[in-house]
Amino acid sequence: MAKITMHDGSIKELSEDDELYLSTLRHSCSHVLAQAVKHLYPNAKLAIGPSISDGFYYDIDFETPISDKDLSAIETEMRKIVKANERIEYFSLSREEAVALMTEKDEPYKVELINDLPEGELISFFRQGDFTDLCAGPHLLSTKEVGKAFKLQSLAGAYWRGSEKNKMLTRIYGTAFRSKEELEAYLTRLEEAKKRDHRKLGKELGLFMFSEYGPGFPFFLPNGMVLRNTLMDFWRKMHYANDYVEISTPIILNRSLWETSGHWDHYKENMYTTVIDEEDYAVKPMNCPGSILVYQNEPRSYKDLPLRLAECGLAHRHEKRGELHGLMRVRCFTQDDAHIFITPDQIQDEVTRITRLIDEFYNVFGFEYHVELSTRPEDSMGSDEDWERAEAGLKSALESMNMPYVVNEGDGAFYGPKIDFHLVDCIGRTWQCGTIQLDFQLPQRFELEYMGADGEKHQPIMIHRVCFGSVERFIGILTEHFAGAFPVWLAPVQVKVLPVSDKYLDYANEVAAKIGAANIRVKTDTRSEKLGWKIREAQKEKVPFMVIVGEKDMTDRTVSVRSRANGDEGACSCEEFISRVRNDIDNLAR
């Protein structure tokens, strides 16, 4: 068991396995970092230093810039502070006393934070040795407890309070764990993640590119288009089998539509706009209003519901340039949406059906996942009654399936609560992809109707649902999950035919023609290079199968097979090899 000091100075005892303990450890480490910086750079001004999911950071205004090479000296100073075993003590002051203290210490960012706090409340501080920081806590009881396993990792720029109008500060990132073993395991995962970086692999494998002419707007290259189209073929097959119909809606629509939907009020800063015929238009950031127009295109009856409209629509959202990150954070992306219109008594069955479809999607790629139920945010629209009905409907569906979930308070969409699916990749990272969002608001705003069995008009409920999420982002996730070594059915090139020399080129082309005729993606390496070089090149390209043909193969009408998984596998007939590869593809083998 461990003890921590809470925001009011009380002491709480909890297990070191508790997530609160880990976040407290990391936050306390950020204070040790700040203290070390003040020892080494007395004129540095401190901003904020929270714990984050994998560690902590501190934003600091340095008099002269520092670089990555300075981190080792700061870390050494941190270890001295840990070794000193200084008590971390809580105390509180009035607003006037707090401002005076931080003014005396020449900490203008802290003074600004204090002035933004509610009046009349005592303001909490934590002191350790010669260092005092404005902080709500919680904290460990001494610096020695912080020093189990930590490491400074990198520097980045960060605008004060996230605004480009403010000064750029230096953000120092670090991480901390309960034990050295946990830290080493985490650092090993980071190194593995670097090797799997989809931006690096995307370039090496010819999947996608970016241009300064369009930051955040991805270009898909030939191999990337094969991968993308294969995913979309799979997406269509799954949707057609589950009674969805596919639609396509325009990219640009009139401002009045976005005002009715609520996006203009809630999302305008992230939308691109233009003027057509002296009227305001917006490039769609989401597909849902277009699906609503399709629903409204003709009268609907209860017999038509559920109506499952699926769309892989191109959407655009303005993201800050500094937040762009390969395919993971872009300004245009393809959302694999579906909008499902149901009657109130169909909520549980339809949410259950969608959950099973998403489960089937992720199982194909070998992903495990966990589920979150996100509830009403502060910036929302609609009545309390509607939100209660919507949240109860999602809970009921999850509980009827015995699906474990955690509640993520206040993280729903502005129009309704949602179920989020968080994928876990092969090195333990999580990615939020699939989502199911229950919406009473847009059907009200657009006055949607259907004729009920009673002959009266009723309002449908709308479900927003994605499986991949952003197709581009999902490709980035897959690239890192498989380290570019995609399963056979997804690989842009499934087989590479390698003639031992130019003498066997005709036979190589004959073999490739047979393989291609079986609807297998195949290429022949016709370059006048040594066989070992060709094999190494195919390995770099992460091709699942190589077929090597030489004199004996040509004489015996066989092929020598080398697989990505097993290396040399010996000779077999071309027909046997084709049958094996087709079996792998047809069964979506991993």
Side-chain angles (χ1 to χ4, degrees), residues 495-511:
V495 178
K496 202 91 178 274
V497 181
L498 311 179
V500 173
S501 72
D502 289 348
K503 290 192 298 183
Y504 312 109
L505 189 54
D506 287 344
Y507 182 58
N509 286 332
E510 180 186 332
V511 167

Side-chain angles (χ1 to χ4, degrees), residues 407-469:
V407 176
N408 186 3
E409 294 287 355
D411 199 43
F414 68 84
Y415 47 74
K418 59 180 181 171
I419 297 171
D420 287 330
F421 295 78
H422 295 264
L423 305 186
V424 181
D425 70 13
C426 64
I427 59 173
R429 298 172 301 181
T430 57
W431 309 90
Q432 195 274 306
C433 290
T435 187
I436 304 171
Q437 302 175 0
L438 201 56
D439 185 356
F440 289 84
Q441 309 308 321
L442 289 184
Q444 286 181 6
R445 293 175 76 96
F446 282 92
E447 299 179 350
L448 301 188
E449 297 176 341
Y450 68 89
M451 189 65 70
D454 58 2
E456 299 294 328
K457 291 181 179 179
H458 299 270
Q459 181 182 288
I461 297 167
M462 184 177 181
I463 297 177
H464 307 248
R465 185 242 67 189
V466 298
C467 294
F468 291 147

